[in-house]
Amino acid sequence: MFEAPIQRLIDELARLPGIGRKTAQRLAFHLLHVEEEDARRLAESILSMRAEVRLCIRCFNVTDSEECSICRDLRRDPSILCAVERPQDIVVVEKTQEFRGRYHVLGGSISPIEGIGPDQLRLRELVARLDDEKVTEVIVATNPNVEGDTTALYVARLLKPLGVRVTRLASGLPVGGDLDYADELTLGRALSGRREM
Amino acid sequence: MFEAPIQRLIDELARLPGIGRKTAQRLAFHLLHVEEEDARRLAESILSMRAEVRLCIRCFNVTDSEECSICRDLRRDPSILCAVERPQDIVVVEKTQEFRGRYHVLGGSISPIEGIGPDQLRLRELVARLDDEKVTEVIVATNPNVEGDTTALYVARLLKPLGVRVTRLASGLPVGGDLDYADELTLGRALSGRREM
């Protein structure tokens, strides 16, 4: 046991995901030894993040104003939506610089084990946007796992009858990868999704 | 790039040792989604740790009062000192429940590469304690590496002429370990430090 103020900080740090007791201890002593200013900046960035961040009223991306910077960007094509599970997935897709439409954050994926059904996802809001924004295609960019696949299937069944094109990110071999290291499921997907040359 | 308040927090988190961009991002979004109260408690424990923690005037352990709880404890034997590099090393030694003396935090180890010489360590303060507290033995518990060994040697040469016994933690095989997995240096130390049975 450390003296109270340090032990309290260690306990708080150890509540963070992926941070064990040892790491929490190391971080706490780091924060004890850095410049006062540096420790204060970290604490204040936590508080100001909580105070300033809200969800975009249109796509539910995180933002510090009413609409996020992507929805505000007039150069983006509003007729193509990319549906993602979480706000942080948007940054990953943006980095490809291949997508110029807007996003829709579902807020998770369908997972009976975690008790998350379609009702907990922002599907009503997605359907409402189809008309409002004259959407012609929804790219479902949920994770390539059971929950993500289930969610994609559900979204497809929900939206197709409304006359919108629903697509899914391709699964297959990672670029620069090696056949030897591909797991069977990925290789199976790569086979079934093979393309004419 | 994330929206400003989140990006600022990610940047601050990524400055912590051992926290990369990916982890910083994961932690920032975790802090965005937890209860307001939980995020606030973490921020405040950083600030209050910085405000409340000071160094024990006797041994330089971290404390929230003038002397640390170990120095204040009248049941501890003041005649044996355990010299450690950093305050967090005290907790490690305490966990063994084998040591009932007091500590002295040197504040690092001699490292020419990092520009730390004997003058930067709290050796003057250590020497002053020998008389004041009628110390008979100083156990040097610096790390079993080059810097720790150098520091231990320096402390021994400094204190022995003053008539105090100077000892060093034994190096050797970890208890429960396996000869197969011992590195050569450790095994070498275990050999040279072998004990009569």
Side-chain angles (χ1 to χ4, degrees):
Chain A
M1 277 301 270
F2 292 88
E3 305 270 322
I6 292 188
Q7 190 60 48
R8 269 201 307 273
L9 177 57
I10 294 174
D11 291 344
E12 289 301 326
L13 288 167
R15 293 163 60 104
L16 296 172
I19 306 283
R21 310 284 324 161
K22 275 275 174 197
T23 307
Q25 189 178 313
R26 196 165 42 79
L27 293 177
F29 277 96
H30 171 82
L31 287 170
L32 179 64
H33 289 118
V34 294
E35 295 292 315
E36 173 86 39
E37 175 58 22
D38 289 341
R40 177 172 302 275
R41 246 201 343 267
L42 172 59
E44 278 165 5
S45 63
I46 295 172
L47 296 173
S48 68
M49 185 270 289
R50 287 301 301 225
E52 291 167 29
V53 169
R54 24 189 193 150
L55 298 182
C56 171
I57 55 163
R58 188 189 297 273
C59 77
F60 303 97
N61 184 12
V62 288
T63 177
D64 52 0
S65 48
E66 193 159 284
E67 283 192 28
C68 76
S69 52
I70 293 172
C71 285
R72 282 199 311 265
D73 187 344
L74 296 174
R75 291 163 305 176
R76 312 277 310 205
D77 179 358
S79 73
I80 307 184
L81 287 187
C82 178
V84 294
E85 295 183 17
R86 306 165 310 161
Q88 51 266 55
D89 297 329
I90 292 179
V91 177
V92 182
V93 179
E94 283 295 287
K95 277 199 188 130
T96 66
Q97 302 195 324
E98 297 271 347
F99 180 68
R100 298 300 302 160
R102 286 177 176 168
Y103 291 90
H104 189 83
V105 180
L106 295 170
S109 54
I110 297 172
S111 167
I113 291 174
E114 292 182 40
I116 301 174
D119 290 351
Q120 270 102 316
L121 305 184
R122 301 196 188 93
L123 295 170
R124 242 184 315 271
E125 293 87 343
L126 176 58
V127 170
R129 290 182 67 183
L130 300 186
D131 251 4
D132 290 356
E133 301 171 41
K134 311 268 174 284
V135 175
T136 57
E137 179 178 356
V138 173
I139 303 172
V140 186
T142 50
N143 285 322
N145 54 27
V146 175
E147 292 80 14
D149 288 347
T150 310
T151 310
L153 213 64
Y154 190 94
V155 171
R157 286 200 186 139
L158 181 72
L159 302 189
K160 270 182 172 170
L162 306 174
V164 68
R165 192 176 164 216
V166 182
T167 55
R168 175 108 174 87
L169 293 185
S171 267
L173 301 173
V175 178
D178 190 312
L179 264 189
D180 260 6
Y181 292 105
D183 63 289
E184 297 149 40
L185 275 173
T186 302
L187 197 52
R189 289 277 187 104
L191 265 173
S192 65
R194 68 190 179 278
R195 297 168 63 171
E196 209 74 53
M197 292 181 57
Chain B
M1 276 301 270
F2 293 89
E3 306 269 321
I6 293 188
Q7 191 60 47
R8 270 202 305 274
L9 177 56
I10 294 174
D11 292 343
E12 289 302 325
L13 288 168
R15 292 164 61 102
L16 296 172
I19 306 283
R21 309 286 323 162
K22 274 275 174 199
T23 307
Q25 189 178 316
R26 198 165 42 77
L27 293 177
F29 276 96
H30 171 82
L31 288 170
L32 179 63
H33 289 118
V34 295
E35 296 291 317
E36 173 84 40
E37 174 59 23
D38 289 343
R40 177 173 302 276
R41 247 202 342 268
L42 172 59
E44 277 166 3
S45 63
I46 295 172
L47 296 173
S48 68
M49 185 271 289
R50 288 299 303 226
E52 291 168 29
V53 168
R54 24 188 194 151
L55 298 181
C56 171
I57 54 163
R58 189 189 295 274
C59 77
F60 304 96
N61 184 12
V62 287
T63 176
D64 51 1
S65 48
E66 192 159 283
E67 285 192 28
C68 76
S69 53
I70 294 171
C71 285
R72 283 199 310 266
D73 187 345
L74 297 174
R75 292 162 306 179
R76 311 276 310 207
D77 178 0
S79 74
I80 307 184
L81 286 188
C82 178
V84 293
E85 295 182 16
R86 305 165 310 161
Q88 50 266 56
D89 298 329
I90 292 179
V91 178
V92 183
V93 178
E94 283 295 286
K95 278 201 188 129
T96 67
Q97 302 195 324
E98 297 271 348
F99 179 68
R100 298 302 299 160
R102 286 177 176 168
Y103 291 90
H104 188 82
V105 179
L106 296 169
S109 54
I110 296 172
S111 166
I113 291 174
E114 294 182 40
I116 302 175
D119 290 350
Q120 270 102 314
L121 306 183
R122 301 196 189 94
L123 295 169
R124 244 184 313 272
E125 294 87 342
L126 176 58
V127 170
R129 290 181 67 183
L130 300 184
D131 250 5
D132 290 355
E133 301 171 42
K134 309 269 173 286
V135 175
T136 58
E137 179 178 356
V138 173
I139 303 172
V140 186
T142 49
N143 285 322
N145 55 26
V146 175
E147 292 80 12
D149 288 348
T150 309
T151 310
L153 213 63
Y154 190 94
V155 171
R157 286 200 186 140
L158 181 72
L159 303 189
K160 270 181 170 171
L162 306 174
V164 68
R165 194 178 162 211
V166 182
T167 56
R168 175 108 173 88
L169 293 185
S171 267
L173 300 172
V175 178
D178 191 312
L179 264 190
D180 260 4
Y181 291 104
D183 63 289
E184 297 148 39
L185 274 173
T186 303
L187 197 53
R189 290 276 187 104
L191 266 172
S192 65
R194 67 192 182 279
R195 296 168 62 172
E196 208 76 53
M197 293 182 57

